[in-house]
Amino acid sequence: MLAWTRVVLSSLLLLPLLAMAKPQVFWLYTDWPPHQIASGPFKSQGTFDKLLQQILPGLPGYAHQTQLVSLARLEQQFQQSQLTICTTGILLTEERARDRYFSLPMAVGPGIYINYLAGSAVAEYQQADGSIDLQQLAADPQLVGAYQPNRYYSPVVMQVLAAEHNLLVQQFTSELNAAMLLQSRRIDYVLEYPERLQFYALALTEPLALSSAEVALAEPTAISHITCTKTAVGQQLISEINQLLPVLWQQASYTEAMQHWLDGNARQRVSADIQQLQQASMQFEPGSDNTVKPGNH
């Protein structure tokens, strides 16, 4: 009887502790410089790293843990996990919205561009507005391009990738990145965010003169969000994040972190979009489920 009483008392003592336990949130991130930087001298100084560092202090009611995963594994986790997992810097699509909640826009930057060496024959394909018709470029047998799979691309880009083209599938890594491939002349151009090319070019022993052009008819900017799995905790977390973001968008430190890895040209490209999102964030009215609806982001 005494032993049973001790068990009951122990259980009763644990109840307040269990009630006080914070919901666990697992933040997945990838090695994706300069948006997320997992190692090296700039570790945790990526664009989304810096933004999340400003967001998390406003979410003290959760136990936050981080986990490094591959890009392909990240997508699998959202489709299979029963836990509350979240990540930053995700583009909104209808397919992704089926298995996760999306926050208000958390950042905006240049979209996927055609990046190449200055003076390359790729420049001959530039149109009057400075953009390049990817379909025409990819059909040139003398020029070789590259792109990374398991990513979102604009419909106009996907149409080219689904047809015959002169583009190589390449899993870029820190050891074998697109800047190195351009420098070695193994490829002539790459579909990539221009700030990623510039980041990797910093590590090269010789300076690399890079040029970039918009893909004709593709979105020139990329609006990214925070996403969480469709759990009760995930829904509540996104709701709270949506209360934080309009305030953060008005702070100079937040927009500066967003543009930290952008050069002058890139900053100019997105300045109007940042101003527009700053204004829109103050007027946003969440839907009944406190999530952003799928659109053309």
Side-chain angles (χ1 to χ4, degrees):
M1 184 67 179
L2 182 60
W4 173 250
T5 302
R6 287 176 178 173
V7 170
V8 172
L9 288 174
S10 298
S11 300
L12 291 174
L13 290 173
L14 283 174
L15 285 177
L17 297 176
L18 292 174
M20 294 172 59
K22 297 180 179 181
Q24 282 198 325
V25 179
F26 298 88
W27 290 90
L28 305 185
Y29 69 102
T30 61
D31 186 14
W32 195 252
H35 305 133
Q36 293 173 318
I37 305 176
S39 60
F42 301 109
K43 181 179 179 180
S44 301
Q45 296 182 40
T47 303
F48 301 147
D49 298 329
K50 286 177 169 289
L51 295 181
L52 189 61
Q53 289 162 14
Q54 296 189 43
I55 292 169
L56 289 185
L59 302 169
Y62 303 86
H64 302 283
Q65 299 187 38
T66 58
Q67 181 179 353
L68 177 65
V69 296
S70 67
L71 187 63
R73 181 61 178 161
L74 184 145
E75 290 299 319
Q76 292 174 359
Q77 288 276 30
F78 274 100
Q79 295 167 11
Q80 300 171 2
S81 180
Q82 301 299 313
L83 301 173
T84 298
I85 61 174
C86 301
T87 193
T88 59
I90 299 297
L91 302 183
L92 173 60
T93 68
E94 290 187 7
E95 181 180 0
R96 289 172 174 170
R98 295 191 191 108
D99 55 39
R100 68 197 80 175
Y101 294 118
F102 276 78
S103 73
L104 286 170
M106 69 163 292
V108 61
I112 296 287
Y113 280 59
I114 297 170
N115 302 271
Y116 56 94
L117 295 180
S120 166
V122 174
E124 298 175 6
Y125 281 89
Q126 281 194 307
Q127 303 177 131
D129 63 356
S131 66
I132 292 178
D133 185 322
L134 181 60
Q135 185 173 10
Q136 293 183 4
L137 179 63
D140 189 331
Q142 302 301 316
L143 297 174
V144 178
Y147 73 97
Q148 186 165 0
N150 299 316
R151 298 169 67 177
Y152 169 79
Y153 292 99
S154 298
V156 65
V157 175
M158 292 300 295
Q159 290 176 6
V160 175
L161 299 182
E164 292 187 11
H165 52 72
N166 206 24
L167 282 156
L168 304 176
V169 176
Q170 178 66 58
Q171 293 285 359
F172 300 130
T173 65
S174 298
E175 291 73 29
L176 182 62
N177 62 69
M180 292 177 179
L181 294 177
L182 285 172
Q183 184 185 50
S184 65
R185 311 283 176 165
R186 292 171 61 182
I187 59 174
D188 299 289
Y189 61 94
V190 61
L191 300 177
E192 186 56 272
Y193 295 110
E195 63 268 30
R196 292 203 78 207
L197 268 293
Q198 292 162 2
F199 177 87
Y200 282 128
L202 294 174
L204 300 178
T205 55
E206 298 180 5
L208 197 63
L210 293 168
S211 295
S212 62
E214 295 179 13
V215 179
L217 303 179
E219 297 92 340
T221 55
I223 299 174
S224 56
H225 306 256
I226 295 172
T227 63
C228 295
T229 45
K230 287 192 172 181
T231 64
V233 173
Q235 185 177 24
Q236 178 61 30
L237 182 59
I238 289 295
S239 178
E240 293 182 29
I241 289 171
N242 282 348
Q243 302 302 312
L244 287 174
L245 286 174
V247 178
L248 292 173
W249 270 95
Q250 308 308 312
Q251 299 180 6
S253 59
Y254 190 81
T255 54
E256 176 55 35
M258 193 185 309
Q259 300 180 85
H260 181 73
W261 291 103
L262 301 183
D263 63 14
N265 290 333
R267 289 189 178 215
Q268 186 175 3
R269 285 169 177 166
V270 302
S271 60
D273 297 270
I274 288 179
Q275 293 177 6
Q276 183 178 1
L277 286 171
Q278 284 174 328
Q279 296 172 0
S281 68
M282 297 302 294
Q283 303 169 1
F284 181 82
E285 295 182 4
S288 59
D289 59 358
N290 296 311
T291 64
V292 172
K293 305 303 181 184
N296 297 319
H297 298 173

